Amino acid sequence: MHCIGERIWEEIRLKKWEYKIKNNLGIHARSAAMLVREAKKYESRILLSMEGKTAPAVDLMEIMDLDVKCGQTIEVLFSGRDEETAYKGIREFFEGNL
């Protein structure tokens, strides 16, 4: 996201969560595709953020560009009408797959 988008996101962000990646492969192509499928179940906007880079959880290529490795911590941001449901589903996904 661009600077302006990040500032707007900061103003509307309602829920965030951090997770330390445990999968030895990090977020690789298969797990990223699974994450995209999970994120598309929700109406809320879900962003992944790490080391100054941000990616929508519904965009496979942008998730891959984050290059998330095992042991790194990723921040997950939620905003929208079903953000609590999205938070629970995404958290369960991360804990079961990453």
Side-chain angles (χ1 to χ4, degrees), residues 14 43-45 78-84:
L14 299 175
E43 189 177 314
S44 291
R45 183 162 189 202
F78 304 86
S79 178
R81 292 188 351 198
D82 65 346
E83 68 186 28
E84 191 60 39

Side-chain angles (χ1 to χ4, degrees), residues 8-78:
I8 291 170
W9 182 255
E10 287 294 321
E11 293 170 7
I12 63 170
R13 179 176 61 214
L14 299 175
K15 188 162 194 72
K16 77 177 180 177
W17 172 64
E18 289 186 354
Y19 183 77
K20 185 174 181 178
I21 302 298
K22 295 170 182 65
N23 184 309
N24 288 337
L25 300 174
I27 299 181
H28 52 90
R30 181 172 171 267
S31 61
M34 291 168 52
L35 174 58
V36 167
R37 275 194 300 276
E38 180 66 27
K40 286 184 176 182
K41 293 178 183 178
Y42 309 104
E43 189 177 314
S44 291
R45 183 162 189 202
I46 305 166
L47 293 179
L48 309 176
S49 181
M50 190 187 79
E51 297 178 357
K53 297 193 309 189
T54 303
V58 295
D59 188 315
L60 178 63
M61 296 310 292
E62 288 196 46
I63 293 170
M64 295 301 298
D65 281 345
L66 292 176
D67 195 28
V68 182
K69 307 284 188 219
C70 183
Q72 291 181 306
T73 299
I74 192 161
E75 184 177 50
V76 187
L77 311 162
F78 304 86

